[in-house]
Amino acid sequence: REQPLPDSTVLCLDARARSATSPSQGAARNEEEAWVRFALDLLTPEDRNVIVLREYERMAFADIGAQLGIAENAARMRFQRGLGRLADKVAALRRGEV
């Protein structure tokens, strides 16, 4: 029996297709990752290290602090400030200012 489709919803019956990324989405993600990697290279070593340890190595702030020789809260603060500087660098790169 025919049923109307929900408003503005595309039904996808294949679970693999639901989780698949379109080529344009994949390209956009790759481009964003490239901007972030380039901006990371432009940060100070202190900012870059804490971001890499937290985001890429998935380390806890206590472990990051121990590795860098700073307190856990200092590692957390350095990470937050570093993320802000990273976002600023990415924005500046996109504007062509760097």
Side-chain angles (χ1 to χ4, degrees), residues 25-54:
Q25 289 171 326
R29 186 181 60 245
N30 290 342
E31 182 179 350
E32 184 65 28
E33 289 173 3
W35 283 114
V36 170
R37 280 192 307 273
F38 186 40
L40 269 171
D41 288 339
L42 299 175
L43 291 177
T44 64
E46 295 82 15
D47 286 341
R48 183 175 44 253
N49 288 342
V50 74
I51 291 171
V52 167
L53 291 174
R54 180 68 178 170

Side-chain angles (χ1 to χ4, degrees), residues 8-90:
S8 303
T9 304
V10 177
L11 295 179
C12 183
L13 301 177
D14 184 359
R16 289 174 291 158
R18 279 196 307 258
S19 64
T21 302
S22 72
S24 62
Q25 289 171 326
R29 186 181 60 245
N30 290 342
E31 182 179 350
E32 184 65 28
E33 289 173 3
W35 283 114
V36 170
R37 280 192 307 273
F38 186 40
L40 269 171
D41 288 339
L42 299 175
L43 291 177
T44 64
E46 295 82 15
D47 286 341
R48 183 175 44 253
N49 288 342
V50 74
I51 291 171
V52 167
L53 291 174
R54 180 68 178 170
E55 290 298 313
Y56 295 96
E57 303 287 329
R58 299 287 187 204
M59 290 178 69
F61 285 113
D63 297 332
I64 293 170
Q67 183 167 334
L68 299 178
I70 59 176
E72 177 180 350
N73 285 338
R76 186 175 284 110
M77 184 174 292
R78 187 178 289 180
F79 174 75
Q80 290 301 322
R81 290 178 179 164
L83 281 182
R85 286 190 274 271
L86 178 63
D88 291 344
K89 283 284 190 209
V90 170

